[in-house]
Amino acid sequence: TLYAVWKRNPSLSFDANGGAFSSAPEIRYPAAGSEVSIPSATPERTGHIFAGWSTEKGASIADYPADGSKKITMPDADTVLYAVWQKQKYTITSKVASDGFEIVGLLGEYEYEATATFTIKTAAGATGEPLVYVNGELLAAKNGEYSFTVRGESYVLVAVADGSALTLVYSANGGTGAPYDNNVYKSGDTAAILSATPTRYGYTFLGWAEDPEATEAKYKKGETNTYTFGSESAVLYAVWQANTYTVSYDANGGTGD
């Protein structure tokens, strides 16, 4: 009796390399020397753009583009293709409420997780102290400098503490995507509450309140609301309600609750 003798083909697998697949491609076993198409499965990674695949884990340039236009010639050895990532770039928008202040050193664009550092220059004769908000959160200076880590499109607002120029600030309050109001107001003015909706994973947005700990919205989502200024600028905080989920169990052939 003669028995067949087999040699396993080399494996071809895919590593998201810091990202994640919604549906990971299966390990393949193509014959050595064969031309193999790259699967269409695309991994995702926060703050990054998927550029393609490389045989080198630390590669910055993809050997095989993300569009699948190039095939791999299968080596005679197990091979791992690693996802290649490029950092996303985000735009920084800024607004100064008073002519007495100037933002110095802030760029218009930064890569994901870069540190944005800047100072505030005060003009001669300017009154009041600057209040610096980044994405609706008050930012304190350290040794005369302001800095924050960029993790998305960001908005820098320089308000004035003495009430000479009033602003309405929106804080996502644990979420992302708060709107921003570029207008400058004075005492007694009325501002329309913006309709843009922030998001927060696992929560439902209810509206806005002047208390960051509020559980009920003073300015409810979907309603037409206005805010009337007193003598100071104001911050409106997103109000969130935690989502509830149902977990079900299946005895899978057994019994019992």
Side-chain angles (χ1 to χ4, degrees), residues 186-200:
K186 62 182 183 296
S187 180
D189 281 351
T190 297
I193 303 298
L194 300 179
S195 60
T197 301
T199 58
R200 183 181 180 186

Side-chain angles (χ1 to χ4, degrees), residues 14 95 103 114 120 134 149 155 175 193 216-217 224 226:
F14 299 84
K95 171 72 176 181
I103 300 174
I120 302 298
V134 176
T149 302
Y155 179 64
I193 303 298
E216 293 186 7
T224 300
T226 57

Side-chain angles (χ1 to χ4, degrees), residues 199-252:
T199 58
R200 183 181 180 186
Y201 183 76
Y203 288 79
T204 298
F205 173 67
L206 301 181
W208 304 97
E210 294 160 52
D211 179 1
E213 303 297 327
T215 57
E216 293 186 7
K218 181 177 181 180
Y219 308 100
K220 293 181 172 56
K221 173 186 174 182
E223 295 183 357
T224 300
N225 293 295
T226 57
Y227 178 86
T228 301
F229 284 89
S231 60
E232 298 179 343
S233 294
V235 180
L236 298 182
Y237 298 91
V239 179
W240 301 102
Q241 182 180 66
N243 296 337
T244 57
Y245 302 92
T246 300
V247 179
S248 301
Y249 296 87
D250 190 322
N252 196 21

